[in-house]
């Protein structure tokens, strides 16, 4: 007797439902096996750092010593330890709070990728610099093989639902819970600030001749940031810092104060002064570009106005007003006042323009300033700026009897000239940050944002668009002038060469605009980070100095493609740039009937 099975009735909805796609990706391994490879690769990467990577000390960092890691080997230890910790947490070997969320497959992948990228870069750099693979010692081969093993293990873990690799999907990072204790949160902020200080101190301390180590450091920081982002730690740290903004800002200021005491070379303090100067000017430009939405291509001219004003009243023998020497507070106020006047004079007749027309006018103003100070030499024009030779021998500042040009012993540490100016510039930066935040959160700040979003709608709501833009233009100009008054004394001289739209070295308008866009428009820390990256990277990578604009262009193209809101995103702008992604969410999560859309209508 044959038995027959009655097929279950199928509904049209069930018949129309497609079968789930088969998993895609690499050949899957059991989760334990894949993570075991990650652990083995992490251990091997760390162990390889204690071996010789090359037989000659000609390669920067001296990677020839057994048992004494240096240069790229120290970075390999950090990358290997990161992969090892996340792999162990994912496998359950580390009993940590939120370990399953932190060590998600995406975070493990980026941790393994950091070790792989760093070790393979080191091996290729040794072979290229020294002339062949014969220059690699066993340690380099072990590092390359171990890091590749870790990456293969992270890739071979079974794919997620639907076969979409977790590191390629647009899913949110893991949600990390932190005890609702203010002291625990403050401890987290303190640890994060200390980690940032250590990373910055290490990076700025790398010798400019050791470009390979600095490139490895940049790779490690980039992949480390991706790992922290995908693990959810970065987002959680940002949320905690926003709840304790005052404490986080105070710690950041304290870390900046400690920085000169960590350096034995005053040249590194000079880098810090220049970064703070350009970061401060970029914050002023952020008011014009980021908050108000005005494209200013000649903003560096305001920095020049402040610098020349300070130089003229500094008591320099090359000043037109020889014998006139203002105290610093008077010179700073004079520089701000003069740049404020220039901002109003330039903005009043031009700010009724919009878009490309306004950009062309501001570009013209920048060129007019440079040409004018170049011709004020007593021959082509009035003798005010000493023409292309500029004003040199600007004396050092003396504040309350404290000469910033002399070395001083503080807490057993000798602070040189640039360290003294670093502290002064740090105070100026704090003032500018305070002005920026207070203005952005005020009524005028909300008016700036309204004008940026839609000037016509803002005018219809009663906002005087011209007056609001003029205030932004004047305030941004005065902040640039304040930074210029300090910069003139730091550099000993001013001349018209740097104040152009695009030059061989900063400051220039393209540099400042790139710092704002790269860091994140409308934020406080974004322009500071952008200025740090754009100044420090060409400084440490000497071969990029002749290709600086090319590097800027590549960086901006990649940024506009993958993160148009900037490295540190303003929440409003982030939602605007990813509006399509937000609209895609209900389409994937809701049925057609819920959305009110039919397939026939589509």
């Amino acid at each position: 007797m044959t038995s027959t099975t009655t097929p279950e009735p199928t509904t049209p909805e069930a018949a129309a439902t497609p079968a789930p796609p088969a998993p895609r990706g690499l050949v899957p391994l059991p989760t334990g096996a894949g993570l075991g490879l990650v652990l083995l690769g992490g251990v091997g990467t760390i162990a390889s750092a204690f071996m010789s990577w090359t037989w000659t000390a000609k390669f920067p960092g001296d990677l020839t010593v057994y048992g004494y890691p240096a240069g790229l080997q120290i970075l390999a230890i950090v990358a290997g330890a990161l992969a090892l910790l996340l792999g162990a947490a994912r496998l359950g070997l580390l009993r940590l709070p939120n370990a399953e969320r932190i060590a998600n497959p995406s975070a493990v992948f980026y941790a393994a990728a950091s070790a792989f990228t760093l070790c393979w870069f080191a091996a290729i750099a040794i072979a290229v610099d020294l002339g062949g693979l014969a220059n690699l010692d066993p340690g380099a081969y072990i590092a390359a093989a171990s890091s590749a093993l870790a990456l293969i293990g992270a890739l071979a873990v079974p794919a997620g639902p639907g076969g979409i690799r977790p590191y390629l999907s647009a899913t949110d990072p893991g949600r990390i819970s932190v005890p609702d204790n203010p002291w625990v949160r403050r401890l987290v902020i303190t640890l994060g600030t200390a980690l940032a200080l250590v990373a910055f101190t290490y990076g700025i301390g790398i010798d400019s001749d050791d470009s390979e180590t600095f490139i490895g450091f940049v790779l490690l920081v980039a992949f480390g940031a991706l790992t922290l982002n995908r693990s959810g730690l970065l987002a959680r740290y940002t949320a905690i810092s926003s709840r304790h903004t005052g404490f986080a800002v105070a710690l950041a200021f304290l870390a900046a104060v400690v920085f000169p005491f960590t350096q034995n070379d005053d040249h590194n303090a000079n880098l810090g002064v220049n970064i703070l100067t350009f970061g401060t000017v970029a914050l002023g430009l952020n008011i014009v570009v980021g908050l108000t939405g005005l494209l200013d291509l000649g903003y560096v001219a305001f920095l020049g106005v402040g610098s020349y004003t300070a130089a003229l009243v500094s008591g320099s023998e090359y000043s037109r007003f020889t014998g006139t020497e203002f105290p610093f507070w008077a010179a700073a106020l004079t520089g701000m006042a003069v740049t404020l006047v220039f901002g109003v004079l330039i903005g009043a007749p031009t700010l009724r323009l919009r878009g490309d027309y306004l950009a062309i006018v501001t570009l013209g103003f920048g060129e007019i300033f440079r040409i004018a100070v170049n011709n004020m030499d007593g021959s082509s024009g009035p003798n005010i700026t000493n023409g292309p030779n500029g004003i040199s021998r600007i004396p050092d500042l003396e504040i309350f009897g404290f000469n910033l040009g002399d070395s001083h012993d503080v807490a057993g540490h000798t602070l040189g000239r640039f360290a003294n100016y670093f502290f002064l510039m740090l105070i100026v930066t704090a003032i500018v940050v305070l002005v920026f935040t207070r203005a952005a959160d005020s009524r005028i700040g909300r008016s700036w944002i309204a004008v940026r979003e839609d000037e016509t709608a803002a005018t219809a709501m009663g906002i005087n668009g011209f007056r609001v833009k003029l205030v932004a233009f004047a305030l941004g100009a005065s902040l640039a002038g304040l930074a210029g008054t300090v910069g003139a004394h730091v550099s000993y001289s001013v001349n018209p060469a740097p104040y152009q739209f695009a030059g061989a070295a900063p400051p220039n308008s393209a540099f400042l605009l790139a710092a704002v866009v790269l860091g994140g428009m409308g934020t406080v820390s974004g322009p500071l980070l952008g200025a740090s990256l754009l100044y420090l990277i060409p400084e440490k990578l000497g071969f990029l100095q002749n290709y600086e604009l090319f590097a800027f262009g590549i960086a901006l193209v990649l940024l506009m493609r993958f993160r148009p809101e900037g490295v540190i995103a303003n929440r409003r702008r982030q939602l605007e740039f990813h509006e399509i992604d937000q609209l895609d969410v209900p389409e994937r999560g809701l049925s057609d009937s819920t959305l009110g859309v039919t397939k026939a209508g589509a």
Side-chain angles (χ1 to χ4, degrees):
M1 178 177 176
T2 344
S3 64
T4 59
T5 17
T6 306
E8 295 183 1
T10 58
T11 61
E13 291 80 4
T17 303
R24 300 189 302 266
L26 296 182
V27 178
L29 293 175
T31 302
L35 292 176
L37 292 179
V38 174
L39 297 182
L40 185 60
V43 172
T45 302
I46 297 174
S48 69
F50 293 88
M51 304 174 64
S52 173
W53 284 14
T54 181
W55 61 272
T56 174
K58 292 181 179 179
F59 188 80
D62 192 5
L63 311 181
T64 63
V65 183
Y66 279 85
Y68 189 81
L72 289 169
Q73 293 172 329
I74 296 177
L75 302 178
I77 292 176
V78 176
L82 185 62
L84 180 62
L85 289 175
L86 286 179
R90 183 66 184 175
L91 202 54
L93 300 179
L94 296 179
R95 300 297 181 182
L96 298 176
N98 303 305
E100 188 72 16
R101 296 179 180 179
I102 295 174
N104 57 69
S106 181
V108 174
F109 163 76
Y110 282 113
S114 67
F116 175 82
T117 306
L118 180 62
C119 292
W120 279 75
F121 163 75
I124 294 173
I126 292 173
V128 172
D129 288 359
L130 301 181
L133 295 175
N135 295 282
L136 296 176
D137 270 3
Y141 288 107
I142 294 177
S146 300
S147 59
L149 195 65
L151 184 63
I152 292 172
L155 284 169
V157 173
I164 301 176
R165 304 301 304 182
Y167 44 85
L168 297 178
S169 63
T171 56
D172 292 333
R175 306 287 182 177
I176 310 302
S177 60
V178 177
D180 195 11
N181 186 321
W183 293 107
V184 173
R185 296 175 184 272
R186 289 188 178 95
L187 178 61
V188 171
I189 297 174
T190 304
L191 293 177
T193 305
L195 179 62
L197 176 62
V198 170
F200 182 77
T201 301
Y202 183 87
I204 205 172
I206 297 175
D207 191 358
S208 57
D209 295 331
D210 190 1
S211 58
E212 291 84 357
T213 302
F214 186 77
I215 293 176
F217 172 75
V218 172
L219 292 174
L220 178 61
V221 170
F223 278 95
L226 286 173
T227 304
L228 294 178
N229 181 49
R230 298 305 294 177
S231 67
L233 291 174
L234 195 59
R236 192 55 182 162
Y237 180 82
T238 304
I240 293 174
S241 299
S242 63
R243 292 187 58 180
H244 302 275
T245 305
F247 183 75
V249 172
L251 273 185
F253 185 81
L254 180 61
V257 170
V258 172
F259 167 72
F261 294 94
T262 65
Q263 303 297 313
N264 296 322
D265 188 357
D266 202 38
H267 173 69
N268 294 334
N270 184 28
L271 296 180
V273 173
N274 291 329
I275 289 173
L276 286 179
T277 302
F278 302 140
T280 300
V281 180
L283 271 177
L285 179 61
N286 199 20
I287 294 178
V288 180
V289 176
L291 295 181
T292 318
L294 305 175
L295 183 57
D296 190 344
L297 300 181
Y299 186 78
V300 74
F302 295 122
L303 176 64
V305 171
S307 299
Y308 268 95
T309 301
L312 289 172
V313 299
S314 64
S316 169
E317 59 182 289
Y318 292 95
S319 170
R320 178 67 178 84
F321 309 104
T322 305
T324 303
E325 186 172 0
F326 286 7
F328 171 67
W329 63 268
L333 291 178
T334 304
M336 292 183 66
V338 173
T339 51
L340 179 66
V341 171
F342 267 85
V344 172
L345 291 178
I346 299 301
T350 61
L351 286 179
R352 298 186 187 278
L353 301 173
R354 297 187 186 183
D356 301 338
Y357 302 99
L358 178 61
I360 293 173
V361 170
T362 55
L363 178 62
F365 165 65
E367 290 301 305
I368 289 172
F369 168 78
R370 183 179 60 84
I371 295 173
V373 296
N374 198 51
N375 290 332
M376 292 181 183
D377 56 356
S379 157
S380 304
N383 184 17
I384 298 179
T385 63
N386 201 27
N389 296 322
I391 302 173
S392 58
R393 297 186 182 179
I394 299 175
D396 284 307
L397 291 171
E398 186 171 340
I399 303 176
F400 302 119
F402 188 87
N403 193 317
L404 300 185
D406 298 334
S407 298
H408 301 274
D409 291 331
V410 179
H413 188 90
T414 301
L415 297 178
R417 176 178 182 270
F418 292 118
N420 297 330
Y421 278 105
F422 178 86
F423 289 125
L424 176 62
M425 199 60 225
L426 189 60
I427 295 174
V428 172
T429 303
I431 294 173
V432 172
V433 168
L434 180 63
V435 171
F436 180 91
T437 53
R438 298 295 294 174
D441 294 336
S442 66
R443 182 176 180 180
I444 188 69
R446 292 192 293 272
S447 300
W448 289 337
I449 296 174
V451 169
R452 182 193 70 192
E453 298 299 323
D454 192 330
E455 185 174 351
T456 303
T459 303
M461 296 301 295
I463 296 176
N464 189 328
F466 171 75
R467 185 178 63 185
V468 165
K469 291 189 291 184
L470 186 60
V471 170
F473 211 73
L475 180 58
S478 62
L479 295 181
L482 175 60
T485 59
V486 180
H489 291 275
V490 173
S491 61
Y492 281 129
S493 63
V494 292
N495 64 82
Y499 305 109
Q500 49 187 317
F501 172 71
N508 54 66
S509 293
F511 172 89
L512 296 171
L513 186 61
V516 173
V517 176
L518 174 66
M521 292 188 291
T523 63
V524 175
S525 51
L528 295 176
L529 176 63
S532 301
L533 294 176
L534 294 180
Y535 186 85
L536 195 58
I537 291 177
E539 176 70 22
K540 295 297 182 180
L541 304 179
F543 64 89
L544 276 182
Q545 291 181 356
N546 296 329
Y547 306 96
E548 189 172 346
L549 291 179
F550 177 76
F552 280 0
I554 294 295
L556 290 176
V557 168
L558 294 177
L559 188 75
M560 292 300 101
R561 171 60 183 87
F562 296 104
R563 194 172 176 85
E565 66 272 18
V567 177
I568 300 178
N570 176 274
R571 183 59 178 166
R572 181 193 299 269
R573 298 187 67 84
Q574 189 175 28
L575 292 175
E576 292 173 357
F577 280 115
H578 297 281
E579 183 179 358
I580 297 180
D581 297 339
Q582 301 295 325
L583 293 177
D584 284 345
V585 173
E587 293 180 6
R588 291 192 299 265
L590 301 177
S591 63
D592 291 339
S593 58
T594 308
L595 291 173
V597 180
T598 62
K599 294 186 181 298

